[in-house]
């Protein structure tokens, strides 16, 4: 009789052990995972994981197998399945400035569903032009309205598929034509490779890149001498074309067009200690315009190199004033350079900083990199600010001590934003703030997996690892 009791008890204990094993999930630890991230992944508590894996309290090892409670995760799976049954899969092409948080908000979905439909996003992040699947809870009508607004530009491009051309007029240069159609000088040169050898000639027809746009209601004038009589004659000739506008509006249009076309080419030889920002400021143009006119200096500005600069005539007339201002700048002691930056109005400078950073989107990540061949995070910041004579420390932890630390509610464009990633106790990543909307901060940075991209503090990874914000420019 006792023997039977022993057998029954043993059977009961074995059954309990088997059932408890069935209620658990086996998880193999991969690089970068922590107890908290694993608990969040399976929607269980850390305590419940430690209860099944007592040794995990001391340390976690790569490829270590953990027992995860299955009861809570089943509920989560059921909820996810229920959600997925109510969703519609949408193919979406990632646009510039889009973030994971922005997409989930726009398409009424969750980051969990988005990552499940696109596993590569967790490791590689978003890439401009990439097509992803979005499980959306939008109605068909909402999707149709969203598609109409999103695809408007694509439809316009298809309708205007006929190649755009331009006939060269007197005194027009490549830079003027590029600016007229809203394209870069490099894009225009790539569309017309023969121009580099022969140069432009009057009456020549050149191709405009596909992203070029015709400037509406633009009146182009051929002016031999900037005399009042010739301008008034041109006004009379253009009355039939611009009959809707009154005489004053036509005159304003033509004077504006005239100021755009009347530029002079200046050859500038780079001197010792000169910078792109200093040269651009001297001639009244931006660094971006200087680089477009002279693509060779995008990598490095060499002493002795000769730059071809298209300068508006009205800027040349103010040359003496520019020289006086520059001579005053040269008298500023080195010790007060940082103070001078803080005291001056930097709204325009910050916009130029952001535009310079935008131009590098898509550049790959490279450890120790500071050029367009590849950037690491702090190298990208050094390069961006260095274009404007602002020298930052080389590493992200040193940059976190540069400038003035600000609270998150006072963050503005141009600030440096810092993170402690991969479980580090010290700062090891940096980016630059490009936009602040409510409690969301968008920033541009060079990430390990995706290179130069735009991200958001609404993304769980960056929200979790956020450290601080510093202001370099006031």
């Amino acid at each position: 009789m006792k023997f039977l009791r022993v057998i029954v008890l043993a059977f009961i204990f074995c059954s309990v052990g088997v059932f408890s094993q069935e209620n658990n999930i086996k998880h193999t630890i991969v690089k970068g995972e922590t107890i908290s991230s694993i608990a969040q992944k399976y929607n269980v508590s850390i305590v419940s994981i430690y209860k099944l894996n007592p040794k995990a309290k001391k340390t976690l090892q790569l490829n270590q197998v953990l027992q995860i409670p299955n009861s809570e995760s089943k509920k989560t799976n059921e909820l996810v399945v229920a959600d997925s049954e109510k969703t519609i899969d949408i193919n979406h092409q990632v646009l510039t400035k889009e973030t994971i948080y922005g997409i989930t908000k726009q398409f009424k979905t969750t980051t969990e569903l988005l990552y499940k439909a696109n596993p590569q996003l967790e490791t590689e992040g978003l890439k401009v032009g990439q097509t992803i699947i979005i499980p959306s809870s939008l109605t068909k009508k909402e999707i149709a309205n969203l598609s109409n607004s999103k695809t408007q530009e694509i439809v316009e491009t298809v309708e205007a598929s006929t190649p755009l051309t331009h006939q060269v007029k007197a005194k027009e240069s490549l830079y003027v034509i590029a600016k007229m159609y809203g394209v870069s000088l490099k894009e225009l040169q790539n569309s017309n490779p023969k121009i580099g050898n022969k140069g432009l000639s009057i009456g020549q027809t050149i191709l405009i890149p596909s992203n070029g746009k015709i400037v509406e209601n633009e009146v182009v004038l051929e002016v031999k001498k900037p005399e009042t009589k010739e301008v008034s004659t041109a006004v009379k000739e253009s009355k039939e074309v611009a009959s809707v506008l009154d005489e004053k509006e036509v005159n304003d249009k033509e004077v504006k067009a005239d100021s755009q076309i009347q530029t002079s080419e200046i050859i500038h030889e780079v001197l010792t200690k000169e910078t792109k920002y200093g040269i651009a400021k001297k001639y009244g143009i931006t660094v971006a315009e200087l680089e477009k006119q002279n693509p060779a200096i995008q990598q490095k500005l060499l002493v002795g190199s000769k730059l071809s600069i298209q300068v508006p005539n009205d800027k040349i007339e103010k040359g003496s004033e520019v020289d006086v201002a520059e001579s005053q700048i040269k008298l500023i002691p080195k010790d007060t350079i940082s103070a001078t930056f803080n005291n001056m109005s930097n709204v325009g400078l910050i916009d130029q900083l952001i535009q310079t950073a935008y131009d590098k989107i898509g550049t790959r990540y490279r450890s120790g990199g500071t050029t367009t061949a590849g950037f690491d995070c702090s190298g990208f910041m050094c390069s961006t600010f260095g274009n404007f004579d602002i020298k930052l420390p080389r590493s992200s932890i040193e940059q976190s001590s540069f400038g003035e630390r600000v609270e998150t509610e006072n963050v503005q464009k141009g600030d440096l934003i810092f993170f402690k990633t991969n479980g580090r106790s010290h700062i090891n990543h940096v980016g630059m703030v490009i936009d602040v909307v409510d409690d969301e901060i968008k920033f541009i940075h060079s990430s390990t997996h995706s290179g130069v991209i735009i991200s958001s503090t609404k993304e769980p990874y960056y929200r979790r690892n956020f450290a601080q914000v510093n202001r370099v420019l006031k």
Side-chain angles (χ1 to χ4, degrees):
M1 191 70 178
K2 289 182 180 179
F3 180 71
L4 287 174
R5 287 180 182 177
V6 171
I7 291 175
V8 170
L9 288 172
F11 177 76
I12 292 171
F13 283 126
C14 288
S15 300
V16 170
V18 170
F19 287 129
S20 64
Q21 288 295 324
E22 287 179 355
N23 286 332
N24 298 334
I25 298 173
K26 291 183 179 180
H27 174 81
T28 304
I29 297 175
V30 297
K31 189 176 180 181
E33 282 189 323
T34 62
I35 282 290
S36 59
S37 66
I38 295 169
Q40 188 176 5
K41 182 177 180 180
Y42 290 97
N43 196 29
V44 298
S45 65
I46 296 175
V47 175
S48 62
I49 296 178
Y50 281 145
K51 190 174 181 180
L52 293 176
N53 307 272
K55 293 181 180 179
K57 291 183 180 180
K58 296 181 180 179
T59 181
L60 290 179
Q61 296 179 352
L62 195 64
N63 297 324
Q64 179 182 351
V65 178
L66 297 179
Q67 295 287 336
I68 309 296
N70 194 25
S71 56
E72 295 180 39
S73 61
K74 277 184 179 179
K75 294 177 184 178
T76 304
N77 290 338
E78 288 171 3
L79 290 173
V80 171
V81 169
D83 288 341
S84 62
E85 287 175 355
K86 298 176 185 177
T87 60
I88 299 173
D89 288 345
I90 301 172
N91 289 325
H92 174 73
Q93 190 172 19
V94 179
L95 305 176
T96 308
K97 298 186 182 181
E98 280 193 319
T99 62
I100 293 288
Y101 173 75
I103 291 172
T104 56
K105 194 173 181 182
Q106 183 179 11
F107 289 92
K108 292 184 180 179
T109 186
T110 64
T111 52
E112 289 77 12
L113 290 174
L114 195 61
Y115 283 139
K116 186 177 180 181
N118 307 272
Q120 75 279 9
L121 292 182
E122 292 193 69
T123 55
E124 298 176 4
L126 281 180
K127 294 180 181 178
V128 177
Q130 174 186 12
T131 300
I132 60 174
I133 299 170
I134 303 176
S136 173
S137 57
L138 293 172
T139 63
K140 292 182 179 180
K141 187 176 180 181
E142 288 174 327
I143 293 171
N145 292 335
L146 189 65
S147 300
N148 289 338
S149 60
K150 284 286 180 185
T151 58
Q152 187 175 2
E153 293 181 6
I154 299 172
V155 171
E156 289 175 358
T157 305
V158 172
E159 289 176 353
S161 58
T162 306
L164 189 60
T165 59
H166 175 82
Q167 191 170 18
V168 180
K169 297 176 178 61
K171 293 191 177 182
E172 281 188 331
S173 64
L174 280 175
Y175 173 70
V176 171
I177 296 170
K179 194 171 182 181
M180 189 184 301
Y181 289 94
V183 297
S184 68
L185 185 62
K186 191 174 182 181
E187 288 172 332
L188 191 61
Q189 288 172 334
N190 290 340
S191 298
N192 302 272
K194 294 181 181 179
I195 292 177
N197 300 327
K198 298 179 180 180
L200 288 178
S201 57
I202 298 173
Q204 179 183 358
T205 301
I206 62 173
L207 289 173
I208 305 300
S210 56
N211 60 332
K213 296 180 181 178
I214 302 173
V215 181
E216 296 179 0
N217 300 326
E218 183 176 358
V219 181
V220 181
L221 303 177
E222 293 183 23
V223 182
K224 294 182 179 178
K225 293 181 182 179
E227 296 179 1
T228 309
K229 291 182 181 179
E230 293 183 7
V231 173
S232 61
T233 304
V235 172
K236 291 178 182 178
E237 292 175 351
S238 62
K239 277 186 178 178
E240 294 181 3
V241 179
S243 58
V244 180
L245 302 173
D246 59 26
E247 187 176 348
K248 184 179 178 180
E249 290 174 334
V250 173
N251 188 51
D252 291 340
K253 276 279 182 182
E254 290 175 329
V255 170
K256 186 177 179 181
D258 185 49
S259 64
Q260 289 178 348
I261 294 174
Q262 286 190 32
T263 59
S264 299
E265 184 178 13
I266 293 177
I267 304 300
H268 177 88
E269 186 173 351
V270 181
L271 304 177
T272 308
K273 295 185 179 180
E274 275 194 319
T275 62
K276 288 185 277 188
Y277 178 65
I279 295 170
K281 189 174 181 180
K282 179 177 180 179
Y283 294 106
I285 61 176
T286 65
V287 173
E289 288 174 330
L290 184 65
E291 288 182 338
K292 282 180 181 178
Q293 295 178 35
N294 301 272
I297 68 171
Q298 289 182 357
Q299 293 286 346
K300 192 174 183 181
L301 185 65
L302 299 175
V303 176
S305 57
K306 293 183 179 180
L307 309 180
S308 173
I309 305 173
Q310 294 289 339
V311 183
N313 289 347
D314 60 337
K315 299 290 183 182
I316 297 174
E317 291 171 4
K318 298 177 182 177
S320 58
E321 297 176 10
V322 175
D323 292 338
V324 172
E326 188 173 346
S327 65
Q328 291 174 349
I329 291 170
K330 288 180 180 177
L331 293 174
I332 298 173
K334 290 182 179 178
D335 296 338
T336 62
I337 289 176
S338 59
T340 304
F341 273 117
N342 289 335
N343 293 332
M344 66 188 290
S345 176
N346 290 303
V347 176
L349 177 57
I350 289 171
D351 288 339
Q352 290 185 49
L353 272 169
I354 292 173
Q355 184 57 53
T356 301
Y358 275 159
D359 293 340
K360 305 299 185 296
I361 288 178
T363 304
R364 72 185 185 91
Y365 178 87
R366 185 178 182 181
S367 180
T370 57
T371 68
T372 51
F375 294 106
D376 61 17
C377 63
S378 56
F380 180 44
M381 292 299 101
C382 285
S383 173
T384 302
F385 281 82
N387 284 331
F388 300 90
D389 296 347
I390 304 171
K391 188 174 182 181
L392 298 180
R394 180 59 186 88
S395 67
S396 57
I397 193 168
E398 290 174 318
Q399 290 176 10
S400 66
S401 301
F402 190 78
E404 179 185 347
R405 188 166 177 175
V406 295
E407 299 299 326
T408 52
E409 59 266 21
N410 297 323
V411 174
Q412 64 184 30
K413 294 192 294 184
D415 290 345
L416 296 180
I417 184 168
F418 298 91
F419 302 89
K420 297 176 182 178
T421 63
N422 298 329
R424 302 284 180 86
S425 59
H426 61 270
I427 287 170
N428 63 341
H429 191 65
V430 61
M432 179 174 67
V433 177
I434 60 168
D435 197 13
V436 182
V437 182
D438 297 330
D439 58 341
E440 179 187 12
I441 302 172
K442 291 183 180 181
F443 58 96
I444 189 168
H445 62 124
S446 182
S447 69
T448 309
H449 297 293
S450 305
V452 178
I453 57 171
I454 293 171
S455 299
S456 166
T457 52
K458 287 290 185 180
E459 295 174 37
Y461 177 78
Y462 293 109
R463 183 176 65 246
R464 187 169 60 251
N465 294 307
F466 171 77
Q468 67 185 62
V469 175
N470 282 25
R471 181 155 302 151
V472 178
L473 301 171
K474 286 188 178 179

